Every structure is written in C-alpha cells, then in structure tokens.
C-alpha cells in the first residue's frame, strides 16, 4: 500500500458518499488486501475524528450528510442560496451532485433555488477523479423543469479544428 494509492481510494469512496462504516459492510474481509485497506480507512477516520478535523473530500460529503440528517439546517442554506451556478458540470462527482440536489430541493413554502449549469458531455475528462458523466447526461431527467440552452456557435476554434474534432468523435462512437 502506498500513501498515494490509499489516499486516492479513500477519496474516491468519499466522493461516492461511502463512509468507512458503509464500506465495512460491503468489504470482502476474506481478501487480505481489502482487510488491510479497511483497517487503514478505519484508523484514518478515527484520527480525523480525534483531531476534530475533516479532509478535503469530507467538506462536501459531511455537508450532504448534515443536510440529509437535519433538514432544518439544509433549509437555512436553501434560503440563503437562491441562485446556484455550476461550471464544468460534466466533471462533477456523486458527492458534488448530491450537494447540488440538497441545495435545490424544494422545502415547504420555499420554491427550489434556481440552478444554472454549464457543461459539455463531450469534454468530460475527470472520470479518473470520480467525475460521473451521468450527472450531465441525465440532467434533464433529474431537473425536469430545466430549460436547456445549446450554445452551438463556437468563437474559439476555427472550422478546420472543429471539423477535425467532430470527425474524431464520430469515428469513436
């Protein structure tokens, strides 16, 4: 186990909103590698808790857990943030998506916050960091009231570059 590999795996799990207890319930502890990783993950979690600390991935995951466990707390933030804008939406992970859903959820007399996302499913490049392309592909299903505006005029690239890119995309489908 390298520090980088363990840190990456813990980060990936937290970005999927899988905490150590959830992971432990599904872990194959008969596999020595998985058993050791689980113990490392447990000790890491205990160390963070003892230090009253969060790591970077916890900032979003713990906020989602908080909002789900205490809807009245979520409502305070839903009232405060009435307009939410997400750029590079195609590169959001599950935890980020869940936070957006929690912030835009209608509550009682409060209508949902307005949500604007900008993204291009053809430009999703962060799957290795947990980005989930389904977030943008299924956007209209998840947010049925959304109005989709396609920006089809490109001011950055010449026709030759666009033609070449489109032919590569067409050949790879």
């Amino acid at each position: 186990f390298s520090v980088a590999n363990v840190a990456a795996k813990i980060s990936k799990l937290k970005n999927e909103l899988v905490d150590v207890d959830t992971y432990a319930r599904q872990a194959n502890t008969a596999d020595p590698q998985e058993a050791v990783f689980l113990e490392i993950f447990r000790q890491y979690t205990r160390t963070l808790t003892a230090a009253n600390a969060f790591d970077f991935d916890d900032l979003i995951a713990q906020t989602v857990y908080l909002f789900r466990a205490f809807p009245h707390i979520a409502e305070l933030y839903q009232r405060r943030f009435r307009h939410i804008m997400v750029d590079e939406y195609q590169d959001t992970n599950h935890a980020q998506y869940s936070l957006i859903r929690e912030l835009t959820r209608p509550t009682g007399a409060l209508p949902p916050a307005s949500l604007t996302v900008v993204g291009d499913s053809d430009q999703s490049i962060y799957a290795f960091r947990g980005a989930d392309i389904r977030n943008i592909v299924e956007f209209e299903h998840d947010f049925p009231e959304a109005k989709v505006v396609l920006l089809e005029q490109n001011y950055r690239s010449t026709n030759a570059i666009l033609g070449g890119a489109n032919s590569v995309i067409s050949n790879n489908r």
Side-chain angles (χ1 to χ4, degrees), residues 92-148:
T92 56
N93 62 38
H94 179 68
Q96 293 164 334
Y97 169 83
S98 297
L99 179 59
I100 293 162
R101 291 294 288 185
E102 292 301 319
L103 288 171
T104 59
R105 186 177 309 288
T107 57
L110 188 65
S114 68
L115 173 64
T116 301
V117 304
V118 178
D120 181 349
S121 58
D122 289 334
Q123 293 186 31
S124 181
I125 59 172
Y126 288 108
F128 70 95
R129 275 195 346 209
D132 189 342
I133 190 70
R134 291 176 298 183
N135 293 348
I136 194 165
V137 171
E138 298 174 7
F139 181 80
E140 290 177 83
H141 176 267
D142 295 341
F143 297 93
E145 302 296 316
K147 177 182 178 188
V148 175

Side-chain angles (χ1 to χ4, degrees), residues 16 24 30 61 63 93 110 131 152 166:
E16 290 294 322
T63 302
N93 62 38
L110 188 65
E152 299 179 310
N166 286 332

Side-chain angles (χ1 to χ4, degrees), residues 39-151:
E39 186 51 39
I40 292 169
F41 193 8
R42 277 191 174 127
Q43 187 57 46
Y44 177 70
T45 302
R46 282 188 211 111
T47 302
L48 284 173
T49 301
N52 199 26
F54 286 156
D55 64 17
F56 183 76
D57 298 308
D58 285 329
L59 297 176
I60 294 176
Q62 293 297 329
T63 302
V64 171
Y65 299 146
L66 174 73
F67 286 176
R68 289 178 178 171
F70 301 97
H72 66 283
I73 301 292
E75 190 173 343
L76 294 173
Y77 288 90
Q78 291 163 343
R79 288 184 185 283
R80 182 171 183 182
F81 300 109
R82 301 303 307 139
H83 305 279
I84 298 171
M85 202 296 195
V86 181
D87 195 12
E88 303 294 344
Y89 190 74
Q90 74 276 0
D91 291 326
T92 56
N93 62 38
H94 179 68
Q96 293 164 334
Y97 169 83
S98 297
L99 179 59
I100 293 162
R101 291 294 288 185
E102 292 301 319
L103 288 171
T104 59
R105 186 177 309 288
T107 57
L110 188 65
S114 68
L115 173 64
T116 301
V117 304
V118 178
D120 181 349
S121 58
D122 289 334
Q123 293 186 31
S124 181
I125 59 172
Y126 288 108
F128 70 95
R129 275 195 346 209
D132 189 342
I133 190 70
R134 291 176 298 183
N135 293 348
I136 194 165
V137 171
E138 298 174 7
F139 181 80
E140 290 177 83
H141 176 267
D142 295 341
F143 297 93
E145 302 296 316
K147 177 182 178 188
V148 175
V149 177
L150 299 176
L151 303 178

